[in-house]
Amino acid sequence: MKHKYQIVSDYSGGGNQGVIYTFTFDEVITPTMISNYHDCFSAIFSFDDIQAFTEKKKRLLGITGSGEKLIVQKVPKKGVFSPDYFRDYFANEVKKEFGEDSNKLIVFIPPYALVSSVFSDKTDYYRSFVEGFELGSYKFEKYKKDRKELPTHNVVLVSEDKTAVKHALQEGTAVCNGMYFARNLANEPGNVIYPASLAEEIKKQFAKTTVTIKVIDEKEAIKRKMGGLLAIGKGSVNPPRMIVLHYKPFKKAKKKICFVGKGVTFDSGGISIKPADGMWMMKGDMSGAAAVAGIMLTIAESKPNVEVIGIIPSAENMPSGSSVRPGDIVIASNGKSIEIDNTDAEGRVILADALHFASQYQPDAIIDLATLTGACAVALGMHAAGLFTKNDELAEQLTNSGTAVHERVWRLPLWDDYHKLNESDVADVKNTGGRYGGAISAAKFLENFVDETIPWVHLDIAHPAMPNKSSAYTNDYMTGFGVRLLYKFIKQL
């Protein structure tokens, strides 16, 4: 965690270097309300600021009797007020207000009763404040020569429910640690994170946890007949890996869940090479793998009574004399043959072996995450991941979980009509399905490699995992999308 936290039920001021945040849900500001702020904080406001705040302005600035800066923020009751409001708000504020002259942040958290119609869970509500401070403070500047170390700030959370806030702080710490780990992995360049080094980073991170790590190298992958993973990885000097993380609770587990994350550490497109413009972002084509590593770290810290297996197929998709070619036919570990129509549709090919591997555990559910298709990004934009499943219960659970923590998903069809898109004249299945319904045909391809008796969900996180302008904490770096969503899902099992 970047900051130090104190939880109190009352605060009367102290020192002249703090910033106090208070919130009002009233659309009409009365003189009595302004008077109350003066009575509580000995606050002084300018007449012009009060007038503007009363009429249309959403923010009122003042000075307390002890010299602290006081901010009164008007919270909208409609439109932009969502479960992400305070997370996004403080992710933005932490960049603006924290500095040498503001070493303390005091937040008067509004009573839960005022927001219960939007936040169905009290812990999620209080956690959103903590996540705002932490995610808004994230930077990836380790390679800058003149980088400045991020300062640690003292955050005072003032709440009527100290016990609930303490619990939310503990959860928020575990979730943010997982998201930081996911972000760090996804933001590293391809010359630093490649399949073998990804495995080593994960082993190092989990060394002091109860999570066991198994790494399948290329020799073992050959023995296991993982033809998809080996085919995509053979064009690179960095051979592929399958990384398996396994968490078992101390008590008998309520459920067994498998998370599978696409781990293409750099995707040049292979022989079907991508355009140069924006190719740098393909260092983040392992964001599914990063999310799986991140949620496994959160699980290791929070210790839910659920058995969880994280499976990461990792390869580097590069063009060379040994690369897989368009027209090649490879055999996946479940025995199905795949015609390679386009080497830039590589993620689904390595996931084929991973999903078959996950099926061997006979879990209660398999959920995969992948930056799989530009088609899904075009369809849904930056605000949601695509969700594909035939299991209505899982679809509802993940949709509700995503809404609660603002990592939203939107269900798209997985009808069998779409199987035709992946038909091949020379193999069991082809790795592309044509221009139309591209995200759906990719999901239907994956379906070929999952045990049909196991409930399965595919999440296409192509846009929300990448830097985007949807919030103040997603606009600069790979986002770590999926950690909050999967933690909420596991928590509700």
Side-chain angles (χ1 to χ4, degrees):
M1 299 291 277
K2 296 293 184 184
H3 308 297
K4 295 180 179 179
Y5 294 89
Q6 180 184 1
I7 303 167
V8 299
S9 56
D10 190 28
Y11 181 82
S12 56
N16 60 1
Q17 290 189 325
V19 181
I20 298 175
Y21 286 91
T22 64
F23 299 89
T24 177
F25 289 77
D26 296 285
E27 296 180 4
V28 179
I29 306 302
T30 65
T32 301
M33 293 172 60
I34 300 298
S35 178
N36 288 339
Y37 283 109
H38 178 75
D39 293 341
C40 292
F41 301 105
S42 300
I44 300 173
F45 306 101
S46 76
F47 178 79
D48 289 343
D49 285 346
I50 292 174
Q51 187 69 26
F53 186 63
T54 302
E55 294 175 354
K56 59 182 179 179
K57 203 173 179 183
K58 299 184 183 303
R59 188 177 174 103
L60 176 63
L61 302 178
I63 301 295
T64 70
S66 57
E68 293 160 308
K69 182 185 294 184
L70 175 65
I71 296 173
V72 183
Q73 182 69 40
K74 193 185 297 182
V75 180
K77 288 186 176 181
K78 300 178 181 178
V80 296
F81 186 60
S82 73
D84 200 48
Y85 178 83
F86 293 106
R87 185 183 295 107
D88 184 48
Y89 180 85
F90 280 109
N92 189 52
E93 290 299 305
V94 79
K95 299 171 184 178
K96 293 193 308 184
E97 298 296 346
F98 279 171
E100 294 180 1
D101 296 330
S102 301
N103 64 356
K104 184 164 65 172
L105 175 67
I106 305 97
V107 180
F108 281 77
I109 300 177
Y112 175 67
L114 294 176
V115 299
S116 59
S117 62
V118 173
F119 290 88
S120 59
D121 183 272
K122 185 181 291 189
T123 302
D124 292 341
Y125 169 53
Y126 295 132
R127 246 183 57 201
S128 71
F129 288 83
V130 177
E131 290 168 359
F133 308 140
E134 297 300 321
L135 298 179
S137 300
Y138 179 84
K139 287 187 176 182
F140 189 82
E141 296 183 344
K142 62 186 287 187
Y143 297 107
K144 286 188 175 183
K145 182 179 178 180
D146 299 324
R147 68 182 182 276
K148 292 183 179 180
E149 294 297 325
L150 286 171
T152 298
H153 299 284
N154 298 310
V155 179
V156 181
L157 302 174
V158 187
S159 172
E160 62 180 8
D161 194 340
K162 289 175 59 178
T163 301
V165 174
K166 182 179 179 180
H167 178 65
L169 178 59
Q170 292 171 340
E171 274 199 11
T173 299
V175 170
C176 288
N177 286 344
M179 290 192 71
Y180 264 58
F181 185 44
R183 287 180 169 201
N184 287 340
L185 289 175
N187 284 303
E188 286 282 5
N191 63 317
V192 174
I193 291 294
Y194 43 89
S197 66
L198 174 61
E200 290 304 311
E201 283 295 317
I202 289 173
K203 284 162 64 176
K204 182 167 55 176
Q205 185 70 45
F206 287 87
K208 296 182 179 180
T209 73
T210 60
V211 174
T212 60
I213 310 295
K214 177 179 174 59
V215 180
I216 297 173
D217 63 15
E218 66 272 29
K219 292 181 180 179
E220 187 174 350
I222 291 171
K223 292 179 181 178
R224 292 177 178 268
K225 300 180 179 180
M226 294 179 170
L229 179 65
L230 291 164
I232 299 304
K234 71 178 185 176
S236 172
V237 296
N238 296 308
R241 295 288 188 269
M242 184 84 77
I243 307 162
V244 184
L245 305 88
H246 199 157
Y247 165 81
K248 290 184 178 181
F250 294 112
K251 299 178 182 179
K252 183 179 179 180
K254 295 184 293 186
K255 296 279 187 179
K256 183 195 293 185
I257 304 295
C258 275
F259 294 139
V260 179
K262 172 188 167 185
V264 177
T265 56
F266 188 80
D267 181 19
S268 69
I271 296 296
S272 309
I273 197 164
K274 293 178 181 290
D277 187 33
M279 193 193 287
W280 69 269
M281 291 184 72
M282 290 301 97
K283 68 180 184 178
D285 206 23
M286 43 75 70
S287 290
V292 168
I295 184 57
M296 293 303 294
L297 183 61
T298 297
I299 286 169
E301 293 185 16
S302 58
K303 297 178 173 58
N305 193 28
V306 179
E307 183 179 357
V308 186
I309 302 103
I311 299 169
I312 296 172
S314 184
E316 192 174 56
N317 188 24
M318 300 292 284
S320 74
S322 60
S323 295
V324 68
R325 298 163 286 259
D328 284 1
I329 297 174
V330 301
I331 310 299
S333 49
N334 71 340
K336 288 194 175 184
S337 58
I338 303 169
E339 178 189 359
I340 304 298
D341 183 55
N342 187 320
T343 66
D344 195 25
E346 84 300 328
R348 68 198 71 181
V349 179
I350 68 170
L351 284 169
D353 287 322
L355 290 169
H356 176 64
F357 186 83
S359 296
Q360 308 311 300
Y361 285 93
Q362 287 296 299
D364 295 292
I366 297 173
I367 301 172
D368 79 72
L369 301 91
T371 48
L372 205 62
T373 67
C376 197
V378 170
L380 298 178
M382 61 186 148
H383 295 288
L387 181 151
F388 302 83
T389 186
K390 290 180 176 177
N391 188 289
D392 293 340
E393 182 180 2
L394 278 175
E396 183 177 6
Q397 288 174 330
L398 284 164
T399 299
N400 292 340
S401 295
T403 299
V405 299
H406 209 75
E407 284 196 334
R408 293 172 292 181
V409 297
W410 191 257
R411 192 176 186 180
L412 294 169
L414 200 64
W415 303 324
D416 288 341
D417 309 60
Y418 291 100
H419 266 313
K420 294 179 181 179
L421 296 176
N422 294 319
E423 286 182 351
S424 167
D425 294 331
V426 294
D428 294 319
V429 66
K430 188 167 58 176
N431 80 324
T432 60
R435 179 179 181 185
Y436 298 105
I440 302 169
S441 64
K444 293 302 289 184
F445 174 92
L446 296 178
E447 190 178 27
N448 286 280
F449 305 94
V450 183
D451 185 326
E452 63 182 14
T453 66
I454 300 172
W456 162 68
V457 176
H458 164 57
L459 297 175
D460 192 332
I461 62 172
H463 202 331
M466 298 293 176
N468 63 78
K469 303 299 182 183
S470 65
S471 72
Y473 56 86
T474 60
N475 54 10
D476 295 320
Y477 307 102
M478 307 297 170
T479 66
F481 182 94
V483 176
R484 292 201 310 272
L485 167 66
L486 295 182
Y487 177 70
K488 181 68 175 178
F489 168 76
I490 285 290
K491 185 181 170 185
Q492 292 187 333
L493 290 178

